[in-house]
Amino acid sequence: MKTSLLTPNKDPMGCAIADYFEKGKAAKLRVFSSQFDEDEIPVSQLFRTFDEMPELEQEALRLAEGKILDCGAGSGCHALALQDMGKEVEAIDISPRSVEVMQKRGVNNAYCINLFDENYLQKFDTILMLMNGSGIIGKLENMGAFFTKMKQLLNPGGCIYMDSSDLRYLFEDEDGSFLVDLAAGYYGEIDFRMQYKQVRGEAFDWLYVDFQTLAYYANENGFKVEMVKEGEHYDYLACLKMV
Ligand code: SAH
């Protein structure tokens, strides 16, 4: 499990966020993967307001209560929306440039911290992991370490709201049959690398997890999981609580 921070010269998303914040526009934020064709993240979407957010995210923000952690907060869109709702939130991200932008945008408690840093030991009532927030877990083999960290950070009775997608639709045939190479590992484990202008990031692992698999690992690690809401395209919002 990586516990480091990004350096500004290897922080393409942070650079894109900083450009968009300063100039109101940004160049292409390019996404590469060994498993897919090149893609792009529209940088403006990282600055979405509450009204522009998908239903699943709006629901998570409504349900969040007490002391809230926005984990992997990016430009701070969720943290700002929560502050507007009068809620108490701390935002963390491994991207130094994103954290700078969050602070400039008025996020009160924005810190450049890796979730898995062993010295990060605050207590929260709600932990938010949004925009395929399960991604931060990286790979299924990190589930144990992830839940251990969550137990350290959650107050009794607290919960995690996490959204993800079941990538099975990428492997489904037109007749609905499901073609995955079982020897190739879990189909939601994706490697990505990003680039913004000349700034190239390191490759990283990003986990998309279907609800059943998440429920299996949650149970194994002393959590129970509930489906809060399903999205329109294999996506969902889950609530995870310590048993
Ligand atoms: N939640 C934001 C950004 C999503 S992109 C939004 O919905 O717009 C995912 C973010 O998670 C990136 O900003 C990335 O830098 C951050 N991140 C990745 N791994 C992390 C970790 N281990 N700890 C904290 N932040 C992390």
Side-chain angles (χ1 to χ4, degrees):
M1 190 98 265
K2 272 196 185 163
T3 57
S4 53
L5 302 172
L6 300 178
T7 51
N9 61 336
K10 289 194 173 161
D11 179 11
M13 187 187 265
C15 291
I17 284 177
D19 253 7
Y20 191 88
F21 174 66
E22 281 154 22
K23 301 172 193 154
K25 61 180 176 50
K28 258 191 184 186
L29 179 55
R30 302 167 70 189
V31 182
F32 305 90
S33 168
S34 71
Q35 291 131 302
F36 301 113
D37 292 338
E38 180 177 339
D39 203 354
E40 181 185 337
I41 298 180
V43 182
S44 62
Q45 277 182 19
L46 299 171
F47 285 79
R48 59 203 180 281
T49 61
F50 183 85
D51 291 337
E52 293 164 342
M53 287 172 194
E55 271 284 311
L56 297 183
E57 294 183 5
Q58 292 181 345
E59 187 65 12
L61 298 187
R62 279 189 211 107
L63 292 168
E65 56 182 24
K67 196 167 172 223
I68 304 163
L69 174 65
D70 182 1
C71 181
S75 82
C77 56
H78 299 114
L80 287 170
L82 289 164
Q83 285 182 190
D84 283 349
M85 294 160 95
K87 301 191 185 192
E88 186 189 350
V89 56
E90 174 162 317
I92 62 167
D93 205 290
I94 53 171
S95 154
R97 305 217 55 196
S98 299
V99 173
E100 251 172 62
V101 170
M102 279 199 263
Q103 289 164 344
K104 289 183 185 156
R105 293 182 80 202
V107 176
N108 296 325
N109 305 299
Y111 306 104
C112 196
I113 290 175
N114 189 313
L115 172 70
F116 297 103
D117 182 334
E118 58 184 32
N119 297 314
Y120 186 56
L121 295 167
Q122 308 283 317
K123 287 285 182 189
F124 299 95
D125 301 299
T126 304
I127 298 179
L128 293 179
M129 302 184 66
L130 298 178
M131 192 174 162
N132 195 63
S134 63
I136 289 178
I137 304 166
K139 280 183 172 272
L140 285 183
E141 69 188 38
N142 298 332
M143 280 287 190
F146 168 70
F147 282 112
T148 300
K149 188 72 207 182
M150 292 294 111
K151 282 179 195 157
Q152 292 171 350
L153 294 181
L154 277 175
N155 277 325
C159 88
I160 309 161
Y161 290 106
M162 176 195 283
D163 64 352
S164 195
S165 291
D166 183 349
L167 291 193
R168 65 176 298 140
Y169 63 90
L170 294 172
F171 306 96
E172 252 169 12
D173 243 355
E174 276 159 25
D175 65 2
S177 62
F178 186 45
L179 298 167
V180 284
D181 177 0
L182 291 173
Y186 178 59
Y187 62 85
E189 292 180 337
I190 307 296
D191 62 84
F192 284 125
R193 194 173 62 70
M194 291 197 272
Q195 180 168 349
Y196 182 72
K197 294 180 176 167
Q198 298 311 312
V199 182
R200 290 158 61 96
E202 308 265 15
F204 59 93
D205 297 320
W206 199 248
L207 178 69
Y208 294 80
V209 65
D210 66 280
F211 184 74
Q212 299 269 314
T213 303
L214 177 63
Y216 170 80
Y217 282 94
N219 290 329
E220 291 279 291
N221 288 282
F223 277 73
K224 61 176 190 213
V225 61
E226 205 182 289
M227 173 71 84
V228 179
K229 203 176 170 71
E230 284 186 87
E232 283 165 13
H233 196 256
Y234 296 84
D235 51 335
Y236 65 91
L237 176 69
C239 168
L240 298 134
K241 279 191 180 155
M242 277 184 283
V243 181

